[in-house]
Amino acid sequence: MKEWVFKSPSGRWNLRLTPIRLGMIAFLAFSLVLILARYYAGLGYWSNLNDYMPWGAWIGADMNVIALAGAGFSTAIITHIFHAEKYDPVSRRCLLLSFIGYVLVLLILIVEIGRWDNFWTPFVSPGVHSPMFEVYMCIVAYLVLQVIELIEVGAEKVAPKFKKKMQPIMQIVFIAACTVPLGHQASLGSLYLAMPAKLDPIWATQMMPWLFVLSAFFVGPCVATVEYIWTNSRYNMKIDTEMLYGLTRISAVLMAVYFVLKTADLVMRGQLGNVFAFSLEGNMFILEMLLLCVVPIIIHVIPFGRTQGGLLTFGLVGMAGLILTRLNVVFTGMSAHIGSLGGSYFPSFMEIVSTVGLFFLAFLAYMWVTENFPFFFGVAGDADKEVVNESESGFNQAVL
Amino acid sequence: MANAVVNQKSVLVDLTKCVGCGSCTVACKLWNNQSFQNPQTNEFENAHGVGVQLDSNTWTTVEHKQVNKDGQEVWRFVKRQCMHCLEPACSSVCFAHAFHQTEQGAVQYDPSVCVGCRYCMIACPFDIPKYEWEKVLPSVMKCQFCSSKLAEGEAPACASVCPTDALMFGNRDEMLAKAHEIIANDSRYLNHVYGEKEVGGTSWLYISDVDFGELGFPTNLPEKSIPDNVHGFTRFTIPIFAVGAAAWTGVSLYAKRRHAVAHEGHHAEDHKSEE
C-alpha cells in the first residue's frame, strides 16, 4: 500500500473500496430501508420507545457522539489557543472527525424526532429557556464554523489562492469554534437538571453541566490518540508516541480534576453511601469512575503508558468510560423511575440497525475524505522514515 | 419566566369523596372528542378501574387502588390528569415554545410548532404528556384544562359532572383556603395539600386521608420549580460565551507572544554559538 495519503493539489480523486467497506455499504443500505420504513409507519411501529421511556438508544448515541466529537474542540483549544503546535498532527483530523460526528448526530436526530418536518420551528418559535434550544443553536453555529474551517482545508488542494484570502477571518473563526462547544457540551448536562426527582441522586447534581464539559474536553485526546494510532497503522505512517504521551498527559491531569470534583460533589450531597450500596446504580457508577478516571490515570503513570499499546489502551478505556458516563445518565440513572411507573425499554432491532448503519456512513465518509484531502502529516508507507516536515507535505501549519 | 396568568383557576380534589364512578373520564372523552380505544391495540379500554393508564387518547383516568390504611385494606380512587403547574416544566424545556399558559393558568400545547423531541414527556415531574406513537406525524397529548371553557368562566368538563363534589372548581387562592379549612375541621385528613408547594405549586390540588405516596403520587418532588432548577445553569449561558471568548483570545495572544519570545531567544543562542 505504498501511496500518498493525500495528493498534491493536482492529484486525482480516490474512492477506494475494500471488502470491509463494501460490507459497510451493504449494511448502510439495509439500515436506510428500515429508516425509510420508519417514516412510513411511524415511530411506534419500529422502535421500542414508549410513553414511559420516550428517550432511548438514539438519544444515548447522540449524547455520546457529541461528547466524543468534542475531540475537535479540545484539540483545537490545545493547538490554536494554547499554541502547543507539536499536537498539530492530530488537531486537523479531529476537526474532520468532529464535523462528521456532528453531522451523524443530526442524521440520528432526524430519525429520532417525531415531527422531522418541523425541524426548523425553533428558529421562528424559539423556546429560549430550554437547554435543548441552546444545544440546537450551538450545534448549528458550530457546524457553520466547522464548515468554514473545512473549506479552508479543502481549498489547500483545489484553490490555494482562496485559502490565502480566508486567513484574516480564521483567527476569529478559531476563537468562536473553541467557545461555542462550551455551550452545547454544558447544555447537554443541563438537560437532566429538569429531572431532579427522576434521575438517580448519584448523577442528579447541579454540577452536571460542568462535569459534562470537562469530560467532553478530556476525552478529546483519548479519541485523538485512538484515531491517530488506528489510522497511522492502517496507512503505515509513523506513530509519534512521545507526542501522544504528551497529549494523554493533558487528559490524565483533567481526569484527576474530574475525579476530585465528582467525589466532592457526592460528599457534599451525602451520596457516598449510595455509591457503595451494592445497587445497580452504585456499581455502574463505580465502573464509570474506574474507566473514566482511575484506570487511565494508572495506565498513564506506569511505564506501559508510554508504549503504543499503552497509549491505545488509555484512549480506549477513557472512551469507554465516557460512553458509560453518558449511558448511565440516560439509562441506568433513569431505570428505577421508569420501573416505578411500570415501564421498561430495550432498543428494538430497527433502532440498533439504523444507529449502526449511520455510524458506518460516518466511518466511510471519514476514510474517503482523509484519502482525498490533506488531513494527515506525512505519507503512506513512511513508517520507517522520519515524519515528513510540514512544508514538504504541502501542509500549512497555521490551520486546524 | 414571563407569566400571562392573571386569573389562576384551580380544581381541588377531595380523594375521600371520590367513589370511582368515572363520570369525569367520560365527560373528558366526550368534550375532547376522543375514542375509548387504546391507541396501540385499538381495543376498547375504560379510563377508570384498576391499573388504568393515561395515553394519547385518555387525558384523565380514575385509578382504583387498594391501599393499606391503619392496618385495613381500603379502596381509594385517584383521578390523574395534567396538574397544570404554575411554572410548568414542559413549557420551559420546550425548545420550540409549543407550550404556553392561558390567562386562567391552563398549560396549552400547540402541535403546529412541535418538533417531537419528547423532552416535555421526560421532564414532566408527574409523567403526564403522552405520545401518538402510532402516527406518522405524532403530537404530544395531555389534558388542556378545557381552556376554552375556563376562558368563559366555566368549570372543566370533568369537574362539572362530578356527582359527589370530589372535584371543586374555583380560584386557586380560594381552593387553597378551602383545602386548609377542610383539613383543619376533620381529623381524618392528612395535613398536606398536594400541589400547594410541589415543584413550585400546581393548579390541581389534592387532599387525602391516605398517604399520597401509597396512592401513586411522586413524593420526592422539590419545592423549587423545574424551570428554576434548570435556570440555575442556563443563566450562565451568556457569561460562559463572553468569558470563554475573552479567555481564549487572551490565552491565545499570550501563548503566541511567549512562543515568539522563545523563538527569538533560540535565534540569539544560535547566533552566539556561531560566533
Side-chain angles (χ1 to χ4, degrees):
Chain A
M1 207 183 58
K2 294 265 181 188
E3 62 177 334
W4 290 87
V5 173
F6 59 90
K7 309 289 184 196
S8 55
S10 59
R12 64 183 166 81
W13 301 98
N14 169 13
L15 202 69
R16 201 148 54 95
L17 287 173
T18 63
I20 290 177
R21 290 182 193 191
L22 284 171
M24 284 173 138
I25 291 168
F27 193 95
L28 171 63
F30 175 56
S31 71
L32 287 178
V33 171
L34 287 191
I35 289 170
L36 284 177
R38 165 255 175 278
Y39 287 111
Y40 180 74
L43 276 173
Y45 190 74
W46 287 100
S47 78
N48 281 347
L49 296 168
N50 56 63
D51 281 337
Y52 308 102
M53 189 62 179
W55 281 4
W58 286 318
I59 290 288
D62 275 341
M63 297 280 272
N64 276 303
V65 175
I66 294 177
L68 295 172
F73 147 73
S74 47
T75 52
I77 289 176
I78 293 166
T79 55
H80 287 286
I81 303 299
F82 288 89
H83 291 279
E85 263 109 23
K86 61 178 166 169
Y87 302 123
D88 270 347
V90 296
S91 73
R92 188 186 270 202
R93 42 170 93 179
C94 281
L95 160 68
L96 177 68
L97 199 67
S98 166
F99 174 75
I100 291 175
Y102 280 98
V103 173
L104 173 62
V105 165
L106 292 186
L107 289 178
I108 295 175
L109 275 183
I110 281 291
V111 179
E112 202 264 352
I113 58 175
R115 287 296 301 272
W116 44 272
D117 56 321
N118 269 355
F119 75 92
W120 50 274
T121 56
F123 289 100
V124 295
S125 172
V128 292
H129 296 284
S130 171
M132 189 78 90
F133 182 74
E134 193 178 335
V135 172
Y136 191 36
M137 292 302 132
C138 286
I139 286 182
V140 169
Y142 191 45
L143 273 171
V144 171
L145 292 165
Q146 286 182 317
V147 167
I148 298 173
E149 292 177 336
L150 287 170
I151 286 174
E152 198 217 12
V153 175
E156 199 167 297
K157 176 169 180 172
V158 291
K161 276 184 190 161
F162 183 68
K163 180 188 159 79
K164 253 192 190 137
K165 278 190 185 159
M166 288 176 78
Q167 290 314 308
I169 62 155
M170 288 317 288
Q171 206 52 42
I172 297 163
V173 171
F174 289 144
I175 298 277
C178 290
T179 309
V180 169
L182 292 173
H184 60 253
Q185 297 289 4
S187 298
L188 277 182
S190 67
L191 286 184
Y192 279 79
L193 292 182
M195 289 80 106
K198 292 186 179 185
L199 184 62
D200 189 276
I202 291 176
W203 291 281
T205 160
Q206 289 295 123
M207 271 177 64
M208 235 186 324
W210 313 103
L211 293 173
F212 266 54
V213 180
L214 184 55
S215 53
F217 186 89
F218 70 62
V219 82
C222 296
V223 176
T225 303
V226 171
E227 191 279 336
Y228 179 94
I229 293 176
W230 181 70
T231 320
N232 282 26
S233 322
R234 240 188 96 69
Y235 295 115
N236 200 19
M237 294 187 291
K238 185 179 167 15
I239 291 169
D240 184 352
T241 49
E242 225 14 70
M243 183 271 291
L244 290 179
Y245 183 71
L247 200 58
T248 53
R249 164 139 298 185
I250 299 168
S251 274
V253 169
L254 292 174
M255 282 167 176
V257 172
Y258 183 97
F259 186 85
V260 171
L261 281 177
K262 184 63 202 177
T263 309
D265 168 62
L266 289 168
V267 171
M268 283 193 295
R269 293 184 301 115
Q271 290 296 329
L272 266 190
N274 279 348
V275 171
F276 297 104
F278 295 105
S279 59
L280 170 73
E281 288 84 357
N283 293 342
M284 290 300 274
F285 176 73
I286 292 171
L287 184 61
E288 160 189 327
M289 290 303 274
L290 285 176
L291 293 177
L292 188 65
C293 304
V294 179
V295 174
I297 292 173
I298 292 172
I299 292 174
H300 185 78
V301 295
I302 59 174
F304 175 60
R306 282 180 183 274
T307 65
Q308 189 179 320
L311 290 162
L312 186 63
T313 316
F314 178 97
L316 287 172
V317 173
M319 282 170 67
L322 181 104
I323 291 168
L324 191 58
T325 308
R326 299 300 191 263
L327 293 185
N328 272 347
V329 171
V330 179
F331 297 109
T332 316
M334 295 293 281
S335 62
H337 178 75
I338 309 293
S340 76
L341 299 173
S344 65
Y345 168 80
F346 192 82
S348 71
F349 178 71
M350 182 270 175
E351 284 173 79
I352 294 169
V353 170
S354 59
T355 310
V356 174
L358 291 173
F359 267 87
F360 284 172
L361 176 65
F363 291 149
L364 289 166
Y366 185 74
M367 291 188 285
W368 281 329
V369 173
T370 52
E371 283 165 12
N372 284 286
F373 289 96
F375 283 90
F376 303 143
F377 273 112
V379 290
D382 76 335
D384 305 318
K385 301 185 221 155
E386 284 298 298
V387 175
V388 179
N389 75 36
E390 299 86 48
S391 54
E392 271 181 53
S393 64
F395 189 88
N396 185 332
Q397 204 172 344
V399 291
L400 265 176
Chain B
M1 178 172 281
N3 210 328
V5 182
V6 290
N7 184 17
Q8 177 68 54
K9 295 294 183 188
S10 182
V11 174
L12 172 60
V13 186
D14 186 341
L15 291 174
T16 67
K17 285 188 182 166
C18 181
V19 294
C21 70
S23 303
C24 50
T25 65
V26 177
C28 175
K29 294 259 189 193
L30 294 176
W31 180 259
N32 294 301
N33 200 17
Q34 280 162 332
S35 79
F36 282 85
Q37 285 171 322
N38 180 298
Q40 262 89 47
T41 61
N42 281 334
E43 281 168 20
F44 173 83
E45 65 174 3
N46 244 326
H48 66 106
V50 178
V52 291
Q53 303 275 8
L54 295 171
D55 58 41
S56 59
N57 258 346
T58 311
W59 292 356
T60 184
T61 55
V62 175
E63 189 182 359
H64 295 190
K65 268 186 119 71
Q66 199 168 21
V67 289
N68 192 301
K69 179 177 158 56
D70 310 326
Q72 273 187 319
E73 292 291 310
V74 295
W75 283 96
R76 286 295 177 271
F77 311 99
V78 188
K79 186 177 185 303
R80 285 194 88 199
Q81 74 296 307
C82 173
M83 299 289 281
H84 296 277
C85 302
L86 306 187
E87 295 175 62
C90 54
S91 170
S92 76
V93 301
C94 178
F95 75 138
H97 200 58
F99 291 90
H100 71 275
Q101 283 168 294
T102 68
E103 288 186 359
Q104 291 77 32
V107 181
Q108 288 242 280
Y109 166 72
D110 174 8
S112 70
V113 294
C114 177
V115 179
C117 72
R118 309 186 291 281
Y119 193 8
C120 53
M121 298 175 65
I122 202 160
C124 173
F126 303 102
D127 295 287
I128 298 300
K130 302 296 172 200
Y131 210 50
E132 296 179 312
W133 296 103
E134 70 286 359
K135 294 210 172 155
V136 174
L137 292 177
S139 294
V140 171
M141 288 288 178
K142 73 168 195 70
C143 159
Q144 304 284 300
F145 211 170
C146 292
S147 55
S148 59
K149 281 166 82 71
L150 255 60
E152 298 290 321
E154 295 173 29
C158 54
S160 67
V161 299
C162 180
T164 64
D165 265 349
L167 306 176
M168 291 163 274
F169 173 73
N171 290 332
R172 188 170 186 269
D173 43 0
E174 287 164 16
M175 289 300 110
L176 210 47
K178 191 166 193 168
H180 283 293
E181 191 191 317
I182 295 172
I183 290 171
N185 293 326
D186 194 332
S187 60
R188 289 180 306 150
Y189 288 90
L190 300 171
N191 187 18
H192 181 185
V193 181
Y194 193 93
E196 180 179 10
K197 291 184 177 139
E198 277 77 8
V199 286
T202 58
S203 301
W204 280 67
L205 303 166
Y206 287 77
I207 50 176
S208 169
D209 60 341
V210 178
D211 185 67
F212 284 105
E214 291 250 333
L215 296 173
F217 289 83
T219 51
N220 62 341
L221 297 181
E223 290 191 4
K224 195 176 174 184
S225 78
I226 301 293
D228 272 355
N229 208 46
V230 177
H231 192 60
F233 167 75
T234 47
R235 67 198 163 98
F236 291 117
T237 305
I238 301 297
I240 285 175
F241 288 139
V243 171
W248 294 150
T249 311
V251 172
S252 174
L253 291 173
Y254 171 75
K256 228 180 200 171
R257 178 77 198 127
R258 218 179 51 171
H259 272 270
V261 170
H263 239 71
E264 276 166 25
H266 235 67
H267 281 303
E269 267 173 36
D270 288 351
H271 208 62
K272 255 183 201 168
S273 62
E274 272 172 31
E275 280 178 354

